[in-house]
Amino acid sequence: MKVRAATDADGAAISQLLTAAWGGHIAVAHGVAYDATTLPALIAEQDDQVVGLLTYNLENDELEVVTIDVPVPHLGVGTALLAAATEVAREAMARRLWLITTNDNVDALRFYQRRGLRIVAVTPGAVDHSRTLKPTIPTVGAYNIPLHDEITLELRLDT
């Protein structure tokens, strides 16, 4: 498997992955609606097939992971994408890599913490507010957990 920066030629694959994972191109976090097709992206490929996608926003010496999508889990694709994003952040001299997940995403919480990210904030009701920007966000998430809160995780790069 290899991870590389996305190019314009990846547009259809990116659109397909985002639509499958997010129901469209819009991802909402911390009160911001992102069109993830317009963000810089990293693509994971195996045997010339796209097997994962990570989109990010690099701003104010911070790299925010906006989306990470791995259709088939437990193959190392998410780990490779996160490692590549960390390298992008380090090359940009970012002080941290960070992301938002939701209170129902217990598998992601395990994944991120095992890779060195730490929980730095919980924002109660943030997902409820996000539904004003994206009404298709469900009210019940993974494991039948009511979906209400955002959890911020970060990896400090300046220590």
Side-chain angles (χ1 to χ4, degrees):
M1 174 187 23
K2 73 174 185 172
V3 176
R4 62 172 176 79
T7 68
D8 290 342
D10 297 309
I14 290 170
S15 178
Q16 182 179 14
L17 276 168
L18 290 169
T19 300
W22 301 89
H25 300 164
I26 304 301
V28 179
H30 55 88
V32 176
Y34 294 95
D35 179 344
T37 62
T38 67
L39 297 171
L42 298 169
I43 297 280
E45 289 180 316
Q46 186 157 5
D47 300 325
D48 295 323
Q49 297 293 319
V50 174
V51 294
L53 168 71
L54 181 148
T55 65
Y56 63 92
N57 186 37
L58 185 58
E59 186 175 301
N60 299 327
D61 74 349
E62 299 181 343
L63 187 145
E64 177 188 6
V65 174
V66 177
T67 67
I68 183 167
D69 302 297
V70 178
V72 180
H74 308 297
L75 299 176
V77 177
T79 300
L81 285 165
L82 194 58
T86 301
E87 185 58 31
V88 168
R90 287 187 195 283
E91 288 174 3
M93 299 178 62
R95 64 182 177 86
R96 74 176 186 149
L97 176 145
W98 68 286
L99 57 87
I100 301 281
T101 193
T102 52
N103 63 282
D104 70 312
N105 203 350
V106 294
D107 294 330
L109 287 169
R110 181 188 69 215
F111 172 82
Y112 293 127
Q113 290 179 85
R114 290 184 67 195
R115 281 144 190 89
L117 282 81
R118 299 196 54 195
I119 296 170
V120 295
V122 176
T123 309
V127 179
D128 299 320
H129 173 71
S130 292
R131 285 190 194 91
T132 63
L133 299 171
K134 186 177 178 180
T136 57
I137 296 172
T139 57
V140 176
Y143 303 104
N144 209 29
I145 297 171
L147 188 51
H148 296 291
D149 312 317
E150 289 183 343
I151 300 170
T152 305
L153 295 102
E154 74 174 10
L155 177 65
R156 297 301 303 193
L157 302 172
D158 58 356
T159 58

